[in-house]
Amino acid sequence: MRVFVYSLLLCCISTAVLQLCSLETVAQHKRKKGNIAQTRDNNLPNIVVLATGGTIAGAGTSSVSAGYTSGKVPVNQLLNAVPEAKKLANLSGEQIASVGSQAMADSIWLKLAKRVNQLCAREEVDGIVITHGTDTESETAYFLQLTVKSIKPVVVVGAMRSATAISADGPKNLYDAIAVAATRSSANRGVLIAMNEQIFSAREATKTNTTSTATFQSPNAGPLGVVYDGKVSWYHSILRKHTIDTEFDISQVTALPKVDILYGYANMDASLVDCLLSAGTKGIVIAGVGNGNLYPTVAVKVREATSKGIPVVRASRTASGRVTLQGETDDRQLGTVVSDDLDPSKARVLLQLALLKTNNTAIIQDMFFRY
Ligand SMILES: NC(=O)CC[C@H](N)C(=O)O
């Protein structure tokens, strides 16, 4: 009997030890994958870093030449490059995608926005940082600005030099972005872009230079604030509706409507509008010349498109300023909507979301004045 009890006891102990070992292995495995915070300081905010790829995670064979591949460095390695950031926040990382942002797709936007909403709904999460390629960083940020349902800070960050380049700007930008996300006063300012020590509204920021580390600018509104030595100072606020105050709910959305951009130019070929219609576009943004103006034969085709219920938004190919209603172009006659001061790429984002709700041009126009 005694032997039986001893062997039962031994059996229980060894099962418990085995379970503990396997639990530890899962934890170690998760840590390696980067989805568990290493140590937790209860006095620090909890920030989740969602990685999507881009130059910030780019790796090349030489530190001095321009060639590299985006999205090679996993999120944990990115975080390990900024050990100082662990003094600002408890950090955990998740890999959402690993792409150069020229490959950014609606499916990744939806996955990202849903994950941000899930995480922000958790009481213990205080803010989100998203690492992203700079090519389409401002479009992703504006998509989140319209679809995130939380006032918690959501900060998008990238880099112009790859992680293996000499004087890489990624670690500093990431440190700054974590500082912004970890700062209480960053809440309820919409989605932010932190680059090169400046903080921009997702609505206003745009990439203005192909290679400079000061590429992000906000030509119509300037930066909202600055981040320096891990500390944030604010100078402006965004007044347009964002995050919890928008009408867009993507929680059940699995695909976005096809919306395309046409670039305006002298002697423009009007058959491009037909090409888009036969490709199944549901809405068109025209990066028109000047104040969103259209080549005369294009205007005729646009009138045909709007009369078939395809909304057409007039934006501008110029780098700043607004497109005004009833300027040289007769919006009443053409049935067009103006983008206000949204650049064509962001006008496309808003039109995609608008088309989930309506194709009524008066309602869509109202959205372009509110968001
Ligand atoms: N500097 C960058 O991040 C741009 C490079 C890359 N094409 C990207 O957008 O991911």
Side-chain angles (χ1 to χ4, degrees), residues 190-258:
V191 173
L192 302 165
I193 290 182
M195 294 282 292
N196 202 38
E197 297 179 349
Q198 293 188 300
I199 309 166
F200 301 95
S201 163
R203 184 183 186 278
E204 312 293 344
T206 188
K207 186 174 181 178
T208 64
N209 189 288
T210 51
T211 54
S212 163
T213 52
T215 184
F216 277 87
Q217 301 293 330
S218 177
N220 292 318
L224 296 182
V226 294
V227 51
Y228 195 76
D229 279 350
K231 293 188 178 53
V232 172
S233 302
W234 299 105
Y235 296 99
H236 308 285
S237 278
I238 176 147
L239 297 176
R240 293 301 179 102
K241 301 249 178 262
H242 58 77
T243 55
I244 55 167
D245 290 325
T246 80
E247 62 209 86
F248 306 116
D249 175 7
I250 49 84
S251 58
Q252 304 304 319
V253 175
T254 52
L256 296 171
K258 176 173 163 57

Side-chain angles (χ1 to χ4, degrees), residues 53-56 68 70 99-102 132-136 159-161 207:
T55 300
I56 192 166
Y68 66 91
S70 278
V99 294
S101 72
Q102 61 271 35
H132 201 288
T134 56
D135 287 354
T136 60
M160 292 303 284
R161 298 181 186 137
K207 186 174 181 178

Side-chain angles (χ1 to χ4, degrees), residues 113 138-150 154 156 188-193 200-204 224 238-246 248 342 346 349 353 370-371:
S138 59
E139 285 159 76
T140 298
Y142 188 54
F143 181 75
L144 296 172
Q145 164 106 331
L146 298 174
T147 54
V148 165
K149 296 290 164 215
S150 172
V154 176
V156 188
N188 205 15
R189 293 182 187 272
V191 173
L192 302 165
I193 290 182
F200 301 95
S201 163
R203 184 183 186 278
E204 312 293 344
L224 296 182
I238 176 147
L239 297 176
R240 293 301 179 102
K241 301 249 178 262
H242 58 77
T243 55
I244 55 167
D245 290 325
T246 80
F248 306 116
L342 282 185
K346 287 188 193 144
V349 170
L353 289 169
R370 274 189 296 130
Y371 298 123

Side-chain angles (χ1 to χ4, degrees), residues 11-263:
C11 194
C12 287
I13 291 170
S14 52
T15 315
V17 168
L18 270 176
Q19 266 183 357
L20 269 176
C21 287
S22 66
L23 276 180
E24 196 176 44
T25 315
V26 171
Q28 277 168 348
H29 175 69
K30 280 189 174 177
R31 235 173 250 146
K32 262 189 221 143
K33 279 185 71 191
N35 48 12
I36 285 187
Q38 304 261 332
T39 46
R40 201 175 204 82
D41 179 338
N42 287 335
N43 297 315
L44 292 178
N46 300 316
I47 303 297
V48 183
V49 179
L50 301 178
T52 68
T55 300
I56 192 166
T61 46
S62 156
S63 61
V64 286
S65 71
Y68 66 91
T69 310
S70 278
K72 285 274 163 203
V73 183
V75 63
N76 254 22
Q77 224 168 302
L78 290 182
L79 292 177
N80 287 340
V82 279
E84 305 84 352
K86 291 191 182 122
K87 294 193 181 118
L88 300 173
N90 297 311
L91 298 171
S92 57
E94 285 181 28
Q95 200 75 43
I96 297 289
S98 299
V99 294
S101 72
Q102 61 271 35
M104 191 46 62
D106 293 354
S107 56
I108 306 178
W109 280 351
L110 289 169
K111 181 180 176 188
L112 184 61
K114 286 174 187 174
R115 188 63 186 139
V116 171
N117 281 330
Q118 265 174 4
L119 289 166
C120 285
R122 289 193 195 158
E123 204 185 324
E124 72 273 16
V125 172
D126 296 297
I128 307 283
V129 168
I130 296 160
T131 59
H132 201 288
T134 56
D135 287 354
T136 60
E137 187 174 336
S138 59
E139 285 159 76
T140 298
Y142 188 54
F143 181 75
L144 296 172
Q145 164 106 331
L146 298 174
T147 54
V148 165
K149 296 290 164 215
S150 172
I151 63 162
K152 292 179 184 176
V154 176
V155 185
V156 188
V157 64
M160 292 303 284
R161 298 181 186 137
S162 78
T164 51
I166 198 166
S167 198
D169 54 335
K172 169 78 165 87
N173 284 346
L174 182 54
Y175 178 82
D176 286 348
I178 290 167
V180 176
T183 299
R184 256 174 208 282
S185 64
S186 303
N188 205 15
R189 293 182 187 272
V191 173
L192 302 165
I193 290 182
M195 294 282 292
N196 202 38
E197 297 179 349
Q198 293 188 300
I199 309 166
F200 301 95
S201 163
R203 184 183 186 278
E204 312 293 344
T206 188
K207 186 174 181 178
T208 64
N209 189 288
T210 51
T211 54
S212 163
T213 52
T215 184
F216 277 87
Q217 301 293 330
S218 177
N220 292 318
L224 296 182
V226 294
V227 51
Y228 195 76
D229 279 350
K231 293 188 178 53
V232 172
S233 302
W234 299 105
Y235 296 99
H236 308 285
S237 278
I238 176 147
L239 297 176
R240 293 301 179 102
K241 301 249 178 262
H242 58 77
T243 55
I244 55 167
D245 290 325
T246 80
E247 62 209 86
F248 306 116
D249 175 7
I250 49 84
S251 58
Q252 304 304 319
V253 175
T254 52
L256 296 171
K258 176 173 163 57
V259 172
D260 296 288
I261 302 173
L262 280 182
Y263 193 89

Side-chain angles (χ1 to χ4, degrees), residues 274 277 303-310 359:
D274 293 328
L277 294 180
R303 177 76 197 107
E304 282 172 26
T306 57
S307 61
K308 286 180 198 149
I310 304 290
N359 67 352

